[in-house]
Amino acid sequence: CLGAGLLRMGLSPKDHVGLYGVNCAEWVLCDHALHAYSMVSVPLYDTLGPDAVQYIATHANLRAICCSSAVLPHALDAAAHCPNLQLIVVWGLQSPFTSPSFAGLSGQGMAMENADGISSGSGSIGNSSSNKSISNDSKNIHSITNSNVSNTSNRNAHSSAPSAPSLPHVPHCHVMSFESLRELGQANRIPAVPPSGSDLALICYTSGTTGPPKGVMLTHGNLIANAAGSSLCFPGILPGHRYLSYLPLAHIYERVNHVLLTEKGCSIGFYAGDIATLLDDIQTLKPHVFSSVPRLYNRIFDKVLATVRSEKTSATARALFFRALAHKKRYLIKFGDPIGGRLGAIYDRVVFRKMRESLGGRVIYMITGASPLSTDVMAFLRCCFGAKVIEGYGMTESGCAISSSAHWDYSLGHVGGPHPSVEIKLVDIPEMRYTSKDVVDGIPTPRGEIWVRGPSVFVGYYKDPEQTKEALDLDSGWLHTGDVGAWLPGGRLKVVDRRKNLFKLAQGEYVAPERVEGAYSRSPFVLQSFVHGDSLRSTLVAIVVPDPDTALPWARSRYGGLTRRVESDNDSDRTTNVSGSTTNAVSYNPSAPSANVSTTASEGTEATAEEFRERQAAEKAQAAKDALKQLEELKRVCLDPSFEAEVFASMRVAAEEAGLKGFEQVKAIHLHPEPFSVENGLLTPTFKLKRPQAKAAFEEQIKRMYSKIEK
């Protein structure tokens, strides 16, 4: 119905359509509708601002955008600068707006009788009656199965629509509600126009860490090949199993997960739109498959260990936990036994049961990707959560997965063998001293740049033949990943370095900053870091964002609070050299049969939708106040020289444990209290560091660090 509605609105097969918003049922339904009629979907991260949306809309020649009401203003801003963008379909409208019926919107003299919508020219937002029930379902997790799609969306997607005066006047762009489009399609059925395998399915825009985003073109054949290969890697996923979708669908990782799980006959539930309540969503859905990124798994690892080591945990409980963990880890590594024998089964019930229940108690697969996961965290997850932990390696250009660890392989320190959809070869990099003849610890260990070929590899960058030639050998089909790998015994691949973003120090040594930053991230004091170096210097320096969960307790234990003022001649130039509450949740439980959620208020009465929204707004306001207070506290802690010394000492330990060479270790740090984020322009929507922007933002601090080193 949706696809037919788009065609009735004047779109055609092969047209490019943006999908803009957080994960929800409407997002996926629109995506399927586009593919059913051979249109190309262009996913947009919901964190993108108007400039990025405008760039992608113009570059990709978007004819329409399907979006949530939360990002409607950005979509309209982009439409004002993109004459080809003629239609915006919006879901998640909350208030009962009224507007005149649209007539002749497709340019074909077609009238939409009683179809409510939005007129960007008049600034009025329409809303069909069916949408009223949707707005009342904003709390619950909503799922898609192969046989049923719930008419629901998540909290964030259904945030209040923007007020009319904020909507810009865009005469050439027509805006209508999701429900209106569906009604139009139902009233004007058009046979599907299924695509072929070679037809373009997606244009995924990469993060753009060093320049404008590049549009990765992936065909339907690319997606099917990668998902089919992944299906062989997960034999334990069965029809009816549940999956919680919270990683952004604009990323190829989550997109291929959806293709795989649909093929497997699984149900897909969507988180409520707030990462802070993700554990609540997990408890509600109780997923069998949980997919995340090392950033979250590292936080789980650090939080558990911090709790166990805290004064609130008894010495007996602490000793029991570490004894249980050591026992299971020994059995896992030595015998490949994830249970740990009879004693391990007892430990599972006594020590690790609550940890497993925190993920719903039914997880059989935990999947990690997008960046490396340390061996300590991998072993911890396998021992404590009782699930098969699968680590994958891939990139958007490869259609997602390049390699993944086998479900039966419990060895550590690698990303498994080649994915069934690709072949891999390593190509010598003489200038970095990586060759096929390398020997490590007396064992032949071929190393080189990872090249990939297969039916899942992309067809090129949209409108960018030069970049395509650099990344893809069009004659042979080999994709140059820019990553450096090593072959381990058993045909396992280990990613050891990065060819891209390398910089050369004055003495001629090459440094891969991502590897160095990854090593320092294992320090409990480091939340984020930016490592800098150049060919005119022989040393590295770093901007470090301390982890408040470690920094603030350290400060309180040291001087009993955070009221101490730290005097400094120049507070903005504090550099260290080498020498040197639980709340009662209230949820709204609508009568929709697909929700299957029933949570009541603390008084035992069911909360209304309005009460839930009011409570949610109050909690968000309080969270904002708490975050501001924490930032002010952290600013004061960062000015304490003894704290800087503590952070630096912890970073040295992390560097040694990671095996960093002397020239790879930073010689000075500057503590910065505010985290790098998408909002402050230092991270991409996939949370990758924008190095040029970071270098510009911290130019003065970098100069001061080098000056102090030279003194």
mmCIF file with all atom_site columns, all heavy atoms in Angstrom, residues 264-286:
data_model
loop_
_atom_site.group_PDB
_atom_site.id
_atom_site.type_symbol
_atom_site.label_atom_id
_atom_site.label_alt_id
_atom_site.label_comp_id
_atom_site.label_asym_id
_atom_site.label_entity_id
_atom_site.label_seq_id
_atom_site.pdbx_PDB_ins_code
_atom_site.Cartn_x
_atom_site.Cartn_y
_atom_site.Cartn_z
_atom_site.occupancy
_atom_site.B_iso_or_equiv
_atom_site.pdbx_formal_charge
_atom_site.auth_seq_id
_atom_site.auth_comp_id
_atom_site.auth_asym_id
_atom_site.auth_atom_id
_atom_site.pdbx_PDB_model_num
ATOM 1   N N   . LYS A 1 264 ? 15.367 -15.676 8.574  1.00 0.00 ? 264 LYS A N   1
ATOM 2   C CA  . LYS A 1 264 ? 15.298 -16.721 9.587  1.00 0.00 ? 264 LYS A CA  1
ATOM 3   C C   . LYS A 1 264 ? 13.898 -16.880 10.182 1.00 0.00 ? 264 LYS A C   1
ATOM 4   O O   . LYS A 1 264 ? 13.644 -17.815 10.931 1.00 0.00 ? 264 LYS A O   1
ATOM 5   C CB  . LYS A 1 264 ? 16.289 -16.414 10.716 1.00 0.00 ? 264 LYS A CB  1
ATOM 6   C CG  . LYS A 1 264 ? 17.753 -16.611 10.349 1.00 0.00 ? 264 LYS A CG  1
ATOM 7   C CD  . LYS A 1 264 ? 18.136 -18.080 10.389 1.00 0.00 ? 264 LYS A CD  1
ATOM 8   C CE  . LYS A 1 264 ? 19.634 -18.279 10.307 1.00 0.00 ? 264 LYS A CE  1
ATOM 9   N NZ  . LYS A 1 264 ? 20.020 -19.712 10.402 1.00 0.00 ? 264 LYS A NZ  1
ATOM 10  N N   . GLY A 1 265 ? 12.994 -15.951 9.862  1.00 0.00 ? 265 GLY A N   1
ATOM 11  C CA  . GLY A 1 265 ? 11.643 -16.027 10.410 1.00 0.00 ? 265 GLY A CA  1
ATOM 12  C C   . GLY A 1 265 ? 11.527 -15.517 11.821 1.00 0.00 ? 265 GLY A C   1
ATOM 13  O O   . GLY A 1 265 ? 10.643 -15.953 12.579 1.00 0.00 ? 265 GLY A O   1
ATOM 14  N N   . CYS A 1 266 ? 12.389 -14.583 12.211 1.00 0.00 ? 266 CYS A N   1
ATOM 15  C CA  . CYS A 1 266 ? 12.381 -14.057 13.572 1.00 0.00 ? 266 CYS A CA  1
ATOM 16  C C   . CYS A 1 266 ? 11.441 -12.861 13.703 1.00 0.00 ? 266 CYS A C   1
ATOM 17  O O   . CYS A 1 266 ? 11.001 -12.277 12.713 1.00 0.00 ? 266 CYS A O   1
ATOM 18  C CB  . CYS A 1 266 ? 13.794 -13.638 13.976 1.00 0.00 ? 266 CYS A CB  1
ATOM 19  S SG  . CYS A 1 266 ? 14.989 -15.003 13.982 1.00 0.00 ? 266 CYS A SG  1
ATOM 20  N N   . SER A 1 267 ? 11.158 -12.491 14.933 1.00 0.00 ? 267 SER A N   1
ATOM 21  C CA  . SER A 1 267 ? 10.404 -11.276 15.238 1.00 0.00 ? 267 SER A CA  1
ATOM 22  C C   . SER A 1 267 ? 11.390 -10.185 15.621 1.00 0.00 ? 267 SER A C   1
ATOM 23  O O   . SER A 1 267 ? 12.366 -10.445 16.321 1.00 0.00 ? 267 SER A O   1
ATOM 24  C CB  . SER A 1 267 ? 9.433  -11.509 16.399 1.00 0.00 ? 267 SER A CB  1
ATOM 25  O OG  . SER A 1 267 ? 8.485  -12.502 16.070 1.00 0.00 ? 267 SER A OG  1
ATOM 26  N N   . ILE A 1 268 ? 11.119 -8.966  15.187 1.00 0.00 ? 268 ILE A N   1
ATOM 27  C CA  . ILE A 1 268 ? 11.993 -7.839  15.465 1.00 0.00 ? 268 ILE A CA  1
ATOM 28  C C   . ILE A 1 268 ? 11.227 -6.815  16.282 1.00 0.00 ? 268 ILE A C   1
ATOM 29  O O   . ILE A 1 268 ? 10.183 -6.330  15.860 1.00 0.00 ? 268 ILE A O   1
ATOM 30  C CB  . ILE A 1 268 ? 12.513 -7.193  14.160 1.00 0.00 ? 268 ILE A CB  1
ATOM 31  C CG1 . ILE A 1 268 ? 13.300 -8.207  13.333 1.00 0.00 ? 268 ILE A CG1 1
ATOM 32  C CG2 . ILE A 1 268 ? 13.371 -5.972  14.468 1.00 0.00 ? 268 ILE A CG2 1
ATOM 33  C CD1 . ILE A 1 268 ? 13.744 -7.685  11.976 1.00 0.00 ? 268 ILE A CD1 1
ATOM 34  N N   . GLY A 1 269 ? 11.734 -6.515  17.460 1.00 0.00 ? 269 GLY A N   1
ATOM 35  C CA  . GLY A 1 269 ? 11.151 -5.486  18.312 1.00 0.00 ? 269 GLY A CA  1
ATOM 36  C C   . GLY A 1 269 ? 12.018 -4.249  18.298 1.00 0.00 ? 269 GLY A C   1
ATOM 37  O O   . GLY A 1 269 ? 13.237 -4.343  18.086 1.00 0.00 ? 269 GLY A O   1
ATOM 38  N N   . PHE A 1 270 ? 11.411 -3.094  18.536 1.00 0.00 ? 270 PHE A N   1
ATOM 39  C CA  . PHE A 1 270 ? 12.150 -1.838  18.498 1.00 0.00 ? 270 PHE A CA  1
ATOM 40  C C   . PHE A 1 270 ? 12.233 -1.225  19.886 1.00 0.00 ? 270 PHE A C   1
ATOM 41  O O   . PHE A 1 270 ? 11.258 -1.226  20.627 1.00 0.00 ? 270 PHE A O   1
ATOM 42  C CB  . PHE A 1 270 ? 11.481 -0.852  17.531 1.00 0.00 ? 270 PHE A CB  1
ATOM 43  C CG  . PHE A 1 270 ? 11.446 -1.357  16.118 1.00 0.00 ? 270 PHE A CG  1
ATOM 44  C CD1 . PHE A 1 270 ? 10.333 -2.028  15.640 1.00 0.00 ? 270 PHE A CD1 1
ATOM 45  C CD2 . PHE A 1 270 ? 12.533 -1.203  15.290 1.00 0.00 ? 270 PHE A CD2 1
ATOM 46  C CE1 . PHE A 1 270 ? 10.300 -2.514  14.342 1.00 0.00 ? 270 PHE A CE1 1
ATOM 47  C CE2 . PHE A 1 270 ? 12.518 -1.672  13.995 1.00 0.00 ? 270 PHE A CE2 1
ATOM 48  C CZ  . PHE A 1 270 ? 11.389 -2.343  13.514 1.00 0.00 ? 270 PHE A CZ  1
ATOM 49  N N   . TYR A 1 271 ? 13.403 -0.721  20.196 1.00 0.00 ? 271 TYR A N   1
ATOM 50  C CA  . TYR A 1 271 ? 13.569 -0.078  21.498 1.00 0.00 ? 271 TYR A CA  1
ATOM 51  C C   . TYR A 1 271 ? 12.725 1.185   21.579 1.00 0.00 ? 271 TYR A C   1
ATOM 52  O O   . TYR A 1 271 ? 12.222 1.697   20.570 1.00 0.00 ? 271 TYR A O   1
ATOM 53  C CB  . TYR A 1 271 ? 15.041 0.218   21.765 1.00 0.00 ? 271 TYR A CB  1
ATOM 54  C CG  . TYR A 1 271 ? 15.623 1.475   21.175 1.00 0.00 ? 271 TYR A CG  1
ATOM 55  C CD1 . TYR A 1 271 ? 16.262 2.410   21.988 1.00 0.00 ? 271 TYR A CD1 1
ATOM 56  C CD2 . TYR A 1 271 ? 15.581 1.735   19.800 1.00 0.00 ? 271 TYR A CD2 1
ATOM 57  C CE1 . TYR A 1 271 ? 16.824 3.562   21.453 1.00 0.00 ? 271 TYR A CE1 1
ATOM 58  C CE2 . TYR A 1 271 ? 16.141 2.876   19.259 1.00 0.00 ? 271 TYR A CE2 1
ATOM 59  C CZ  . TYR A 1 271 ? 16.758 3.791   20.091 1.00 0.00 ? 271 TYR A CZ  1
ATOM 60  O OH  . TYR A 1 271 ? 17.313 4.923   19.555 1.00 0.00 ? 271 TYR A OH  1
ATOM 61  N N   . ALA A 1 272 ? 12.538 1.702   22.791 1.00 0.00 ? 272 ALA A N   1
ATOM 62  C CA  . ALA A 1 272 ? 11.608 2.805   23.002 1.00 0.00 ? 272 ALA A CA  1
ATOM 63  C C   . ALA A 1 272 ? 12.159 4.150   22.566 1.00 0.00 ? 272 ALA A C   1
ATOM 64  O O   . ALA A 1 272 ? 11.484 5.158   22.693 1.00 0.00 ? 272 ALA A O   1
ATOM 65  C CB  . ALA A 1 272 ? 11.199 2.870   24.473 1.00 0.00 ? 272 ALA A CB  1
ATOM 66  N N   . GLY A 1 273 ? 13.377 4.181   22.068 1.00 0.00 ? 273 GLY A N   1
ATOM 67  C CA  . GLY A 1 273 ? 13.938 5.412   21.547 1.00 0.00 ? 273 GLY A CA  1
ATOM 68  C C   . GLY A 1 273 ? 14.899 6.111   22.473 1.00 0.00 ? 273 GLY A C   1
ATOM 69  O O   . GLY A 1 273 ? 15.492 7.127   22.108 1.00 0.00 ? 273 GLY A O   1
ATOM 70  N N   . ASP A 1 274 ? 15.099 5.579   23.676 1.00 0.00 ? 274 ASP A N   1
ATOM 71  C CA  . ASP A 1 274 ? 15.977 6.207   24.658 1.00 0.00 ? 274 ASP A CA  1
ATOM 72  C C   . ASP A 1 274 ? 16.964 5.154   25.153 1.00 0.00 ? 274 ASP A C   1
ATOM 73  O O   . ASP A 1 274 ? 16.581 4.172   25.792 1.00 0.00 ? 274 ASP A O   1
ATOM 74  C CB  . ASP A 1 274 ? 15.155 6.765   25.819 1.00 0.00 ? 274 ASP A CB  1
ATOM 75  C CG  . ASP A 1 274 ? 15.995 7.564   26.805 1.00 0.00 ? 274 ASP A CG  1
ATOM 76  O OD1 . ASP A 1 274 ? 17.231 7.597   26.636 1.00 0.00 ? 274 ASP A OD1 1
ATOM 77  O OD2 . ASP A 1 274 ? 15.416 8.149   27.738 1.00 0.00 ? 274 ASP A OD2 1
ATOM 78  N N   . ILE A 1 275 ? 18.253 5.368   24.869 1.00 0.00 ? 275 ILE A N   1
ATOM 79  C CA  . ILE A 1 275 ? 19.274 4.408   25.278 1.00 0.00 ? 275 ILE A CA  1
ATOM 80  C C   . ILE A 1 275 ? 19.292 4.235   26.795 1.00 0.00 ? 275 ILE A C   1
ATOM 81  O O   . ILE A 1 275 ? 19.627 3.169   27.312 1.00 0.00 ? 275 ILE A O   1
ATOM 82  C CB  . ILE A 1 275 ? 20.667 4.846   24.774 1.00 0.00 ? 275 ILE A CB  1
ATOM 83  C CG1 . ILE A 1 275 ? 20.727 4.728   23.247 1.00 0.00 ? 275 ILE A CG1 1
ATOM 84  C CG2 . ILE A 1 275 ? 21.766 4.004   25.383 1.00 0.00 ? 275 ILE A CG2 1
ATOM 85  C CD1 . ILE A 1 275 ? 20.570 3.322   22.718 1.00 0.00 ? 275 ILE A CD1 1
ATOM 86  N N   . ALA A 1 276 ? 18.919 5.277   27.513 1.00 0.00 ? 276 ALA A N   1
ATOM 87  C CA  . ALA A 1 276 ? 18.930 5.205   28.975 1.00 0.00 ? 276 ALA A CA  1
ATOM 88  C C   . ALA A 1 276 ? 17.964 4.150   29.498 1.00 0.00 ? 276 ALA A C   1
ATOM 89  O O   . ALA A 1 276 ? 18.140 3.633   30.612 1.00 0.00 ? 276 ALA A O   1
ATOM 90  C CB  . ALA A 1 276 ? 18.591 6.569   29.569 1.00 0.00 ? 276 ALA A CB  1
ATOM 91  N N   . THR A 1 277 ? 16.939 3.815   28.730 1.00 0.00 ? 277 THR A N   1
ATOM 92  C CA  . THR A 1 277 ? 15.962 2.809   29.165 1.00 0.00 ? 277 THR A CA  1
ATOM 93  C C   . THR A 1 277 ? 16.099 1.513   28.373 1.00 0.00 ? 277 THR A C   1
ATOM 94  O O   . THR A 1 277 ? 15.169 0.711   28.341 1.00 0.00 ? 277 THR A O   1
ATOM 95  C CB  . THR A 1 277 ? 14.530 3.351   29.012 1.00 0.00 ? 277 THR A CB  1
ATOM 96  O OG1 . THR A 1 277 ? 14.272 3.633   27.621 1.00 0.00 ? 277 THR A OG1 1
ATOM 97  C CG2 . THR A 1 277 ? 14.339 4.621   29.818 1.00 0.00 ? 277 THR A CG2 1
ATOM 98  N N   . LEU A 1 278 ? 17.259 1.303   27.753 1.00 0.00 ? 278 LEU A N   1
ATOM 99  C CA  . LEU A 1 278 ? 17.454 0.118   26.922 1.00 0.00 ? 278 LEU A CA  1
ATOM 100 C C   . LEU A 1 278 ? 17.284 -1.168  27.716 1.00 0.00 ? 278 LEU A C   1
ATOM 101 O O   . LEU A 1 278 ? 16.681 -2.141  27.231 1.00 0.00 ? 278 LEU A O   1
ATOM 102 C CB  . LEU A 1 278 ? 18.840 0.158   26.269 1.00 0.00 ? 278 LEU A CB  1
ATOM 103 C CG  . LEU A 1 278 ? 19.168 -0.991  25.309 1.00 0.00 ? 278 LEU A CG  1
ATOM 104 C CD1 . LEU A 1 278 ? 18.210 -0.990  24.124 1.00 0.00 ? 278 LEU A CD1 1
ATOM 105 C CD2 . LEU A 1 278 ? 20.620 -0.894  24.814 1.00 0.00 ? 278 LEU A CD2 1
ATOM 106 N N   . LEU A 1 279 ? 17.796 -1.205  28.956 1.00 0.00 ? 279 LEU A N   1
ATOM 107 C CA  . LEU A 1 279 ? 17.658 -2.420  29.764 1.00 0.00 ? 279 LEU A CA  1
ATOM 108 C C   . LEU A 1 279 ? 16.195 -2.710  30.072 1.00 0.00 ? 279 LEU A C   1
ATOM 109 O O   . LEU A 1 279 ? 15.803 -3.886  30.151 1.00 0.00 ? 279 LEU A O   1
ATOM 110 C CB  . LEU A 1 279 ? 18.469 -2.291  31.050 1.00 0.00 ? 279 LEU A CB  1
ATOM 111 C CG  . LEU A 1 279 ? 19.989 -2.395  30.894 1.00 0.00 ? 279 LEU A CG  1
ATOM 112 C CD1 . LEU A 1 279 ? 20.677 -2.226  32.248 1.00 0.00 ? 279 LEU A CD1 1
ATOM 113 C CD2 . LEU A 1 279 ? 20.390 -3.732  30.272 1.00 0.00 ? 279 LEU A CD2 1
ATOM 114 N N   . ASP A 1 280 ? 15.389 -1.672  30.243 1.00 0.00 ? 280 ASP A N   1
ATOM 115 C CA  . ASP A 1 280 ? 13.951 -1.891  30.444 1.00 0.00 ? 280 ASP A CA  1
ATOM 116 C C   . ASP A 1 280 ? 13.331 -2.520  29.205 1.00 0.00 ? 280 ASP A C   1
ATOM 117 O O   . ASP A 1 280 ? 12.496 -3.432  29.297 1.00 0.00 ? 280 ASP A O   1
ATOM 118 C CB  . ASP A 1 280 ? 13.245 -0.566  30.754 1.00 0.00 ? 280 ASP A CB  1
ATOM 119 C CG  . ASP A 1 280 ? 13.697 0.041   32.067 1.00 0.00 ? 280 ASP A CG  1
ATOM 120 O OD1 . ASP A 1 280 ? 14.159 -0.723  32.933 1.00 0.00 ? 280 ASP A OD1 1
ATOM 121 O OD2 . ASP A 1 280 ? 13.600 1.272   32.213 1.00 0.00 ? 280 ASP A OD2 1
ATOM 122 N N   . ASP A 1 281 ? 13.743 -2.046  28.038 1.00 0.00 ? 281 ASP A N   1
ATOM 123 C CA  . ASP A 1 281 ? 13.227 -2.606  26.788 1.00 0.00 ? 281 ASP A CA  1
ATOM 124 C C   . ASP A 1 281 ? 13.640 -4.073  26.639 1.00 0.00 ? 281 ASP A C   1
ATOM 125 O O   . ASP A 1 281 ? 12.861 -4.906  26.175 1.00 0.00 ? 281 ASP A O   1
ATOM 126 C CB  . ASP A 1 281 ? 13.741 -1.797  25.597 1.00 0.00 ? 281 ASP A CB  1
ATOM 127 C CG  . ASP A 1 281 ? 13.313 -0.337  25.655 1.00 0.00 ? 281 ASP A CG  1
ATOM 128 O OD1 . ASP A 1 281 ? 12.300 -0.049  26.324 1.00 0.00 ? 281 ASP A OD1 1
ATOM 129 O OD2 . ASP A 1 281 ? 13.986 0.509   25.043 1.00 0.00 ? 281 ASP A OD2 1
ATOM 130 N N   . ILE A 1 282 ? 14.881 -4.363  27.025 1.00 0.00 ? 282 ILE A N   1
ATOM 131 C CA  . ILE A 1 282 ? 15.367 -5.737  26.950 1.00 0.00 ? 282 ILE A CA  1
ATOM 132 C C   . ILE A 1 282 ? 14.550 -6.643  27.858 1.00 0.00 ? 282 ILE A C   1
ATOM 133 O O   . ILE A 1 282 ? 14.172 -7.768  27.488 1.00 0.00 ? 282 ILE A O   1
ATOM 134 C CB  . ILE A 1 282 ? 16.863 -5.795  27.313 1.00 0.00 ? 282 ILE A CB  1
ATOM 135 C CG1 . ILE A 1 282 ? 17.701 -5.094  26.229 1.00 0.00 ? 282 ILE A CG1 1
ATOM 136 C CG2 . ILE A 1 282 ? 17.330 -7.231  27.492 1.00 0.00 ? 282 ILE A CG2 1
ATOM 137 C CD1 . ILE A 1 282 ? 19.162 -4.945  26.593 1.00 0.00 ? 282 ILE A CD1 1
ATOM 138 N N   . GLN A 1 283 ? 14.260 -6.161  29.069 1.00 0.00 ? 283 GLN A N   1
ATOM 139 C CA  . GLN A 1 283 ? 13.467 -6.959  29.997 1.00 0.00 ? 283 GLN A CA  1
ATOM 140 C C   . GLN A 1 283 ? 12.071 -7.224  29.455 1.00 0.00 ? 283 GLN A C   1
ATOM 141 O O   . GLN A 1 283 ? 11.495 -8.292  29.682 1.00 0.00 ? 283 GLN A O   1
ATOM 142 C CB  . GLN A 1 283 ? 13.371 -6.227  31.338 1.00 0.00 ? 283 GLN A CB  1
ATOM 143 C CG  . GLN A 1 283 ? 14.661 -6.227  32.138 1.00 0.00 ? 283 GLN A CG  1
ATOM 144 C CD  . GLN A 1 283 ? 15.087 -7.625  32.532 1.00 0.00 ? 283 GLN A CD  1
ATOM 145 O OE1 . GLN A 1 283 ? 14.278 -8.452  32.949 1.00 0.00 ? 283 GLN A OE1 1
ATOM 146 N NE2 . GLN A 1 283 ? 16.374 -7.911  32.386 1.00 0.00 ? 283 GLN A NE2 1
ATOM 147 N N   . THR A 1 284 ? 11.516 -6.270  28.734 1.00 0.00 ? 284 THR A N   1
ATOM 148 C CA  . THR A 1 284 ? 10.178 -6.436  28.170 1.00 0.00 ? 284 THR A CA  1
ATOM 149 C C   . THR A 1 284 ? 10.175 -7.433  27.021 1.00 0.00 ? 284 THR A C   1
ATOM 150 O O   . THR A 1 284 ? 9.329  -8.326  26.955 1.00 0.00 ? 284 THR A O   1
ATOM 151 C CB  . THR A 1 284 ? 9.636  -5.081  27.681 1.00 0.00 ? 284 THR A CB  1
ATOM 152 O OG1 . THR A 1 284 ? 9.601  -4.172  28.776 1.00 0.00 ? 284 THR A OG1 1
ATOM 153 C CG2 . THR A 1 284 ? 8.241  -5.224  27.103 1.00 0.00 ? 284 THR A CG2 1
ATOM 154 N N   . LEU A 1 285 ? 11.120 -7.292  26.110 1.00 0.00 ? 285 LEU A N   1
ATOM 155 C CA  . LEU A 1 285 ? 11.126 -8.134  24.912 1.00 0.00 ? 285 LEU A CA  1
ATOM 156 C C   . LEU A 1 285 ? 11.746 -9.508  25.151 1.00 0.00 ? 285 LEU A C   1
ATOM 157 O O   . LEU A 1 285 ? 11.341 -10.485 24.539 1.00 0.00 ? 285 LEU A O   1
ATOM 158 C CB  . LEU A 1 285 ? 11.894 -7.429  23.790 1.00 0.00 ? 285 LEU A CB  1
ATOM 159 C CG  . LEU A 1 285 ? 11.827 -8.100  22.420 1.00 0.00 ? 285 LEU A CG  1
ATOM 160 C CD1 . LEU A 1 285 ? 10.400 -8.031  21.868 1.00 0.00 ? 285 LEU A CD1 1
ATOM 161 C CD2 . LEU A 1 285 ? 12.787 -7.444  21.446 1.00 0.00 ? 285 LEU A CD2 1
ATOM 162 N N   . LYS A 1 286 ? 12.751 -9.584  26.041 1.00 0.00 ? 286 LYS A N   1
ATOM 163 C CA  . LYS A 1 286 ? 13.500 -10.815 26.304 1.00 0.00 ? 286 LYS A CA  1
ATOM 164 C C   . LYS A 1 286 ? 14.021 -11.431 24.992 1.00 0.00 ? 286 LYS A C   1
ATOM 165 O O   . LYS A 1 286 ? 13.587 -12.504 24.570 1.00 0.00 ? 286 LYS A O   1
ATOM 166 C CB  . LYS A 1 286 ? 12.632 -11.831 27.054 1.00 0.00 ? 286 LYS A CB  1
ATOM 167 C CG  . LYS A 1 286 ? 12.135 -11.320 28.405 1.00 0.00 ? 286 LYS A CG  1
ATOM 168 C CD  . LYS A 1 286 ? 11.440 -12.393 29.194 1.00 0.00 ? 286 LYS A CD  1
ATOM 169 C CE  . LYS A 1 286 ? 10.852 -11.834 30.480 1.00 0.00 ? 286 LYS A CE  1
ATOM 170 N NZ  . LYS A 1 286 ? 11.852 -11.162 31.340 1.00 0.00 ? 286 LYS A NZ  1
#
